[in-house]
Amino acid sequence: MTQTQTETVPEVVRPGRTRWGMFTAILAVPTLGVAALIALLVAWLFTDDSVDTGVRKISCAEAFAYGGAKPPTGARDLSCVLEAAQNPRYEARFLLRQTEVSAWVAASYPDGPGLRNVQCGGDTEIYACMNRGAVAGQSASVQLEVTYDGPNWSVVRFVAFTE
């Protein structure tokens, strides 16, 4: 038997596919997710998410003047706010000696009405109240609620508003 010589044909070498494409695709999804979370965090940090309730502190002289009264002398813990809505609503809270509450109301509103201790709403804590509608020369109505704060002091809530 005779051997025949065979010619070897060189094989065409094509560049092979690497797995880098698959690796990149697998890493792209979590990377984009992390980038989106970072973008949301940055947006959250730099946006003003405070809610304007329309309530701001004001001078108590302004609040009482709107309701046609003067701030009581001897009041403690006086705080006043304005609710800015369609119609302004002024509110003042303060402590006043129980013996001085009626005198302050009478001096502020000599034409009445005075404090009453019946029909003061459903709150059993309120021992005296007053509702005064707008009087000539004034545009505001006034509500007062007086509650006990110990044996000598009362908490007074003064609200002046336009109806």
Side-chain angles (χ1 to χ4, degrees):
M1 234 187 190
T2 62
Q3 242 182 352
T4 58
Q5 228 176 359
T6 58
E7 184 178 322
T8 58
V9 180
E11 211 176 300
V12 178
V13 178
R14 294 185 193 143
R17 284 187 64 148
T18 62
R19 293 193 172 107
W20 284 109
M22 180 70 73
F23 182 73
T24 306
I26 290 171
L27 284 181
V29 173
T31 304
L32 290 174
V34 169
L37 286 175
I38 290 172
L40 286 173
L41 178 67
V42 168
W44 177 69
L45 288 174
F46 289 106
T47 57
D48 182 20
D49 58 348
S50 64
V51 178
D52 183 17
T53 60
V55 177
R56 61 183 172 92
K57 289 190 173 204
I58 57 162
S59 73
C60 289
E62 180 183 345
F64 285 109
Y66 191 79
K70 291 185 179 165
T73 56
R76 290 185 175 177
D77 300 334
L78 191 59
S79 68
C80 301
V81 294
L82 167 65
E83 283 184 33
Q86 185 175 0
N87 296 323
R89 183 176 189 268
Y90 293 85
E91 184 171 335
R93 287 183 184 266
F94 55 93
L95 290 172
L96 191 61
R97 291 199 176 274
Q98 291 174 4
T99 56
E100 297 173 1
V101 174
S102 294
W104 172 70
V105 171
S108 295
Y109 304 107
D111 56 343
L115 287 174
R116 65 176 191 269
N117 57 5
V118 293
Q119 298 176 341
C120 290
D123 193 351
T124 57
E125 299 290 319
I126 299 172
Y127 77 85
C129 59
M130 179 193 85
N131 290 324
R132 181 173 196 248
V135 182
Q138 292 181 339
S139 61
S141 298
V142 175
Q143 290 179 342
L144 283 175
E145 294 176 347
V146 185
T147 58
Y148 290 113
D149 187 51
N152 298 324
W153 293 90
S154 295
V155 176
V156 180
R157 181 175 167 253
F158 172 90
V159 180
F161 58 93
T162 306
E163 294 186 57

